[in-house]
Structures are given as structure tokens and as C-alpha cells.
Amino acid sequence: MTITDRPEESLAAHGLRVTGRVLRNPTTSQLYTAALGRGEGVLAEDGPLVVDTGRFTGRSPKDKFIVREPGSADRIWWSETNAEISEEHFDGLRAKVVAHLEDGDVYVIDAFCGADPKHRLAVRILTTHPYHALFAKTMFGEPAAADLDDFEPDVLVLHEPDVEADPERDGTRTGVFVCLHPTRGEILIGGTFYGGEIKKSVFTLMNDRLPLDGVMPMH
């Protein structure tokens, strides 16, 4: 596990000044150890990590939003499924998530979504929970050591399930929010501990990006 020497500066490019440790690309065993040590899960027979995701044991599709912004608005099929949120509300939620992430240790997972190097997206996930970091590490393609030397994310996922939205102030339906800004390639997730929101939100961005390159994405 790489622990950044100057954590307050290491994520400044993403607008974060972290006061705790920045734990970059830890191993699976290190994430197991951290999750078990924090009481976030238990080991089942033969070794899988089992966690309780709370009141959400699946996705919350009605709490998923896409930012209506000039760079992508004309190509989004707006509907109940593709609900909109303003950039102002997105920025407000981002500030909430960032403030929470800055207050402790942050796990950073760098990975690829997509098997084809010509079309894959470089993804960086920031979370305070080791089992969500483990989920992302397992779900997406792990970069080779050489890929990490100059890794530049196409997608930034700011994940903090402990943060809930205020629907009246933040323009959401409930306290849960999964928000995608297509042009920035930024995803905010809060109010739900269900790990699948990380996967599906990145896949949603792939569904937007790949057709622009003449590629039909398939789940």
C-alpha cells in the first residue's frame, strides 16, 4: 500500500485537501484487513468478505441524476430514468462530499473500465470505506505497474455513503444521490452503502462516451 507523504497535497488536483492518510491502490489483503478491523464485514467460509449494505441491498435508480449542461444536454434522452440535476446542485453536493472526504483517511483506487485499451476509461475512485475500495478494485481492470506511473483519470468517482442530500436544498428526490456530470467525467455517490452504484455509474458514462467513437457498449 502506498501512503502519500503529503496527503494534503496529493489530491489537490481534484479539489481535495485531505487531513488524514491517502492510501493509494492497496492490495486485496490490505483492504480485507482494514474492512475487518473497522467491523465493516466478516469472513464467510472459504474466505469471501461479507458486508451489510444497510437499508439498500440494490440500486436506487430513481435517485440517479445527470447534470443538464451544454456539453451533453442535446444527446441525453431525458426521462424518469435519466433525471436531470443542475450544475449548481451538483457543485453543492460535490462540496458536501469533498468536505467529508477531506476529514479522514481516503482510499484511492486507480483502474480501467473496459477491456479494449483503445476504448477503456481510466477511473479513479475516492472513498473512505475499505470495502468499497475493494469492490472497485475487484470490479474494474487493475492497471499494470507501468500504467500507474502516468495514470490520468478520465473518470473521477467521489464516493461517500455517509453523506446524505437535503432534497429541498440539493435538488434531489431523497437523501440518496448518484450524480453524473458527463463532460467533467465526475460522479458523486452518497446516502447509500450499496457498492453496485459505483459500477453502474461508471458503466453509464461508458454508455455516453463509446457511441461518440462509433462503438456500441454492451453490459
Side-chain angles (χ1 to χ4, degrees), residues 86-152:
S86 70
E87 278 199 295
E88 180 182 6
H89 283 139
F90 181 89
D91 288 339
L93 286 169
R94 191 187 196 281
K96 283 187 177 183
V97 172
V98 165
H100 206 280
L101 287 169
E102 289 181 327
D103 199 35
D105 296 346
V106 176
Y107 291 86
V108 180
I109 300 297
D110 291 329
F112 291 114
C113 183
D116 189 332
K118 293 184 295 184
H119 300 295
R120 69 190 182 188
L121 292 179
V123 184
R124 174 167 289 159
I125 299 98
L126 275 55
T127 183
T128 59
H129 292 271
Y131 83 80
H132 289 105
L134 178 61
F135 177 90
K137 183 181 178 69
T138 304
M139 177 57 59
F140 300 117
E142 191 164 359
D147 293 324
L148 292 174
D149 291 339
D150 56 355
F151 191 91
E152 290 291 337

Side-chain angles (χ1 to χ4, degrees), residues 36-84:
L36 293 170
R38 288 170 47 155
E40 290 187 347
V42 297
L43 284 183
E45 187 175 358
D46 295 328
L49 182 70
V50 179
V51 300
D52 182 349
T53 60
R55 60 194 176 111
F56 294 101
T57 57
R59 292 179 53 242
S60 186
K62 291 185 178 180
D63 294 308
K64 185 171 183 175
F65 302 92
I66 301 173
V67 176
R68 184 180 281 273
E69 46 92 21
S72 63
D74 291 343
R75 67 175 182 265
I76 304 297
W77 187 356
W78 301 104
S79 63
E80 286 190 8
T81 304
N82 293 328
E84 68 177 83

Side-chain angles (χ1 to χ4, degrees), residues 22 59 78 94-95 97 121 131 173-175 194 201 204 212:
V22 175
R59 292 179 53 242
W78 301 104
R94 191 187 196 281
V97 172
L121 292 179
Y131 83 80
R173 188 181 70 94
T174 67
Y194 178 67
S201 58
T204 300
L212 300 178

Side-chain angles (χ1 to χ4, degrees), residues 163-184:
V163 172
E164 294 199 2
D166 177 341
E168 288 191 13
R169 178 177 297 177
D170 298 318
T172 59
R173 188 181 70 94
T174 67
V176 178
F177 57 94
V178 180
C179 300
L180 166 64
H181 194 301
T183 297
R184 289 191 209 170

